[in-house]
Amino acid sequence: MSKKIASARISQKSSKLLQQLNNSLPFDKRLYHEDIAGSRVHALMLCEQGIISKEDYSKINAGLLEILEEIESGLFLLDGDDEDIHMAVEGRLTTKIGDAGKRLHTARSRNDQVALDFRLYVQKNNREIATLLLENIQTLIVIAKKHATTLLPGMTHLQHAQPINFGYHIMAYVSMFKRDYQRFISAYERNNYSPIGCAALAGTPHPIDRQATAKALEFNAPTLNCLDTVSDRDFALEILFNIATVMMHVSRLSEELILWSTSEFRWITLSDRHATGSSIMPQKKNPDIPELLRGKTGRVNGNLIGLLTVMKGLPLAYNKDMQEDKEGVFDSVETALLTLKVLNEMVSEMQVNTKRMEDACMVGHLLATDLADYLVRKVGLPFRDAYYITGNVVNLAESRGVDISELDFEAFQSIDERIGEDVIALLDNRVSMNMRTSEGGTATIRTIEQIEVIEKWIEEVR
Ligand code: ARG
């Protein structure tokens, strides 16, 4: 029985149950790329600082490259009883190259090693998710441009409120995704500091060069305090929160797509590529895809709360509890990547039923606020009085079973003689939408302006 590399004072072989609980290899094996990259940079630095010989470095570097090959070609399966990816790679290296392999762990601990590997993974995915967000924003902009004049009832409390244009509605989601993008980028920048060289918790007496390893791994600089670095999982919490927030936005958009594709609305039609049938009801076309995107919010929220709870109350520095940091992050990252790819495809292929949207504007007295605003502007009434007079007009329209925009001039006069004939031209959904020209408002010119702002921003960040 060969002695395990990280168990100098443990004399018995671990129980099978302990291994099952203790080993992270089954899930952290996906960090093999980061682990090998970190080890190569560390070994090179050890060599350049004269801590290991050139010969040993060459063997280590070649061995690590071979191991990478072996993993990628499926030759080295990472399914043994090694505790984690770090031990698996180091063990393999020593088997391959002998004593030189045993020098790799000089001036390093698994505590800074795992902090490095995990941070590299998170940083890569901060960028990946940000890129996918930009793609979604671009897709949504195409729709917003096409529909900056398409009317639909803007809602509050899911009740018809005021006419807006569909491009404007879409631009609301673009604004959310823009902030999401910025959150991933700012997390990337805040966390772009290198943990390697912190060793177990206190640094090392070896003459290492953390600046060199940080630079080689494309970090801005080494982290400031080693005790903090091996204890810190903020960077993981940040990506979990940022993903939870994106997924919350995606969930709200999904909910609207689900609602809009019901028989009651039919404002949009999802492509058959993004809908599913029922096993019993032959007529059904179900919006399973947006439902799943909405539903996946649950697991990403769970992953965030999970890691916050793991970290709460841990003493400095590394504690094995922290091995519980990875699975939730892997799950949230994979969920976000898939979600954003699917969302982009689904939204770009959905059909917008312009006429259904515009017809819906004839229900619900969307122009009531316009009438009240008219009474303020033209007649000089205090808003609250105008509000009550408008309420009476709405009641009259309701009693006749029509929308206020369908009332004739006499009807308005019967409620209040101060209402002039010009109100008839004013009470038009498109006129109303285009009158909301205040900054950030729905008027088509303002919507186009918003689109232009975002397009300019995309040029800057791309
Ligand atoms: N597998 C461990 C983890 O994922 C690596 C760090 C182990 N360090 C230690 N001192 N036991 O957290």
Side-chain angles (χ1 to χ4, degrees), residues 20 62 104 118 154 178 191 198 230 237 278 328 336 370 386-387 439:
Q20 222 180 313
L104 173 62
F118 198 29
K178 178 188 172 208
N191 294 308
C198 279
V230 290
L237 286 166
S278 152
D370 296 82
Y387 171 92
E439 210 174 327

CSV table of all heavy atoms in Angstrom, one decimal, residues 20 62 104 118 154 178 191 198 230 237 278 328 336 370 386-387 439:
chain,number,residue,atom,x,y,z
A,20,GLN,N,-15.1,9.1,1.2
A,20,GLN,CA,-16.3,9.5,0.5
A,20,GLN,C,-16.7,10.9,1.0
A,20,GLN,O,-17.1,11.7,0.2
A,20,GLN,CB,-17.4,8.6,0.9
A,20,GLN,CG,-18.3,8.2,-0.3
A,20,GLN,CD,-19.4,7.3,0.2
A,20,GLN,OE1,-19.2,6.3,0.9
A,20,GLN,NE2,-20.7,7.6,-0.1
A,62,ALA,N,7.5,19.6,-18.3
A,62,ALA,CA,7.2,18.6,-19.3
A,62,ALA,C,6.2,17.6,-18.7
A,62,ALA,O,5.2,17.2,-19.4
A,62,ALA,CB,8.4,17.9,-19.8
A,104,LEU,N,7.9,20.2,-6.4
A,104,LEU,CA,6.9,21.2,-6.9
A,104,LEU,C,6.2,21.9,-5.7
A,104,LEU,O,5.8,23.1,-5.8
A,104,LEU,CB,5.9,20.5,-7.8
A,104,LEU,CG,4.7,21.3,-8.2
A,104,LEU,CD1,5.1,22.5,-9.1
A,104,LEU,CD2,3.7,20.4,-9.1
A,118,PHE,N,-9.5,28.1,-7.9
A,118,PHE,CA,-10.9,28.4,-7.8
A,118,PHE,C,-11.1,29.9,-8.3
A,118,PHE,O,-12.0,30.2,-9.1
A,118,PHE,CB,-11.4,28.3,-6.4
A,118,PHE,CG,-12.9,28.2,-6.3
A,118,PHE,CD1,-13.7,27.7,-7.3
A,118,PHE,CD2,-13.5,28.6,-5.1
A,118,PHE,CE1,-15.0,27.6,-7.2
A,118,PHE,CE2,-14.9,28.6,-5.0
A,118,PHE,CZ,-15.6,28.1,-6.0
A,154,GLY,N,-48.7,49.4,-21.2
A,154,GLY,CA,-47.8,49.3,-20.1
A,154,GLY,C,-48.6,48.9,-18.9
A,154,GLY,O,-49.8,49.3,-18.8
A,178,LYS,N,-27.5,45.3,-18.8
A,178,LYS,CA,-26.3,46.2,-18.8
A,178,LYS,C,-25.7,46.3,-17.4
A,178,LYS,O,-24.5,46.1,-17.2
A,178,LYS,CB,-26.6,47.6,-19.3
A,178,LYS,CG,-25.4,48.5,-19.3
A,178,LYS,CD,-25.8,50.0,-19.6
A,178,LYS,CE,-24.6,50.9,-19.4
A,178,LYS,NZ,-25.0,52.2,-19.1
A,191,ASN,N,-11.4,41.4,-8.0
A,191,ASN,CA,-10.8,40.1,-7.5
A,191,ASN,C,-9.6,39.7,-8.3
A,191,ASN,O,-9.1,38.6,-8.1
A,191,ASN,CB,-11.9,39.0,-7.6
A,191,ASN,CG,-13.0,39.3,-6.6
A,191,ASN,OD1,-12.7,39.6,-5.4
A,191,ASN,ND2,-14.2,39.4,-7.0
A,198,CYS,N,0.9,32.4,-1.1
A,198,CYS,CA,0.5,32.7,0.3
A,198,CYS,C,0.8,31.5,1.2
A,198,CYS,O,0.8,31.6,2.4
A,198,CYS,CB,-1.0,33.0,0.3
A,198,CYS,SG,-1.3,34.8,-0.1
A,230,VAL,N,-6.1,33.1,1.9
A,230,VAL,CA,-6.4,31.7,2.0
A,230,VAL,C,-7.8,31.5,2.7
A,230,VAL,O,-8.3,30.4,2.7
A,230,VAL,CB,-5.3,30.8,2.7
A,230,VAL,CG1,-4.1,30.8,1.8
A,230,VAL,CG2,-5.0,31.4,4.1
A,237,LEU,N,-18.5,34.3,-3.7
A,237,LEU,CA,-19.9,34.8,-3.3
A,237,LEU,C,-20.3,35.8,-4.3
A,237,LEU,O,-21.5,35.9,-4.6
A,237,LEU,CB,-19.8,35.4,-1.9
A,237,LEU,CG,-19.7,34.4,-0.8
A,237,LEU,CD1,-19.3,35.0,0.5
A,237,LEU,CD2,-21.0,33.6,-0.6
A,278,SER,N,-47.5,18.2,-25.3
A,278,SER,CA,-47.9,17.5,-24.1
A,278,SER,C,-48.0,16.0,-24.5
A,278,SER,O,-48.3,15.7,-25.7
A,278,SER,CB,-49.3,18.0,-23.7
A,278,SER,OG,-50.1,17.1,-23.1
A,328,GLY,N,-21.6,24.4,-5.6
A,328,GLY,CA,-22.7,25.4,-5.8
A,328,GLY,C,-22.2,26.4,-6.9
A,328,GLY,O,-23.0,26.8,-7.7
A,336,ALA,N,-26.0,29.6,-15.4
A,336,ALA,CA,-26.0,30.9,-16.1
A,336,ALA,C,-25.5,30.8,-17.5
A,336,ALA,O,-26.1,31.4,-18.4
A,336,ALA,CB,-25.1,31.8,-15.3
A,370,ASP,N,-53.8,60.7,-19.4
A,370,ASP,CA,-53.7,61.8,-20.4
A,370,ASP,C,-54.8,62.8,-20.3
A,370,ASP,O,-54.6,64.0,-20.4
A,370,ASP,CB,-53.7,61.2,-21.8
A,370,ASP,CG,-52.5,60.3,-22.0
A,370,ASP,OD1,-52.5,59.1,-21.6
A,370,ASP,OD2,-51.5,60.8,-22.6
A,386,ALA,N,-58.7,67.2,-11.3
A,386,ALA,CA,-58.6,66.6,-12.7
A,386,ALA,C,-58.8,65.1,-12.6
A,386,ALA,O,-59.5,64.4,-13.4
A,386,ALA,CB,-57.3,67.0,-13.4
A,387,TYR,N,-58.1,64.5,-11.6
A,387,TYR,CA,-58.2,63.1,-11.4
A,387,TYR,C,-59.6,62.6,-11.1
A,387,TYR,O,-60.0,61.6,-11.7
A,387,TYR,CB,-57.3,62.8,-10.2
A,387,TYR,CG,-57.3,61.4,-9.6
A,387,TYR,CD1,-56.4,60.5,-10.0
A,387,TYR,CD2,-58.2,61.1,-8.5
A,387,TYR,CE1,-56.3,59.2,-9.4
A,387,TYR,CE2,-58.2,59.8,-8.0
A,387,TYR,CZ,-57.2,58.9,-8.4
A,387,TYR,OH,-57.2,57.6,-7.9
A,439,GLU,N,-37.2,62.8,-20.1
A,439,GLU,CA,-36.0,62.0,-20.2
A,439,GLU,C,-36.2,60.6,-19.6
A,439,GLU,O,-36.8,60.4,-18.5
A,439,GLU,CB,-34.9,62.6,-19.4
A,439,GLU,CG,-33.5,62.3,-20.0
A,439,GLU,CD,-32.4,63.1,-19.3
A,439,GLU,OE1,-32.6,64.2,-18.9
A,439,GLU,OE2,-31.3,62.5,-19.2
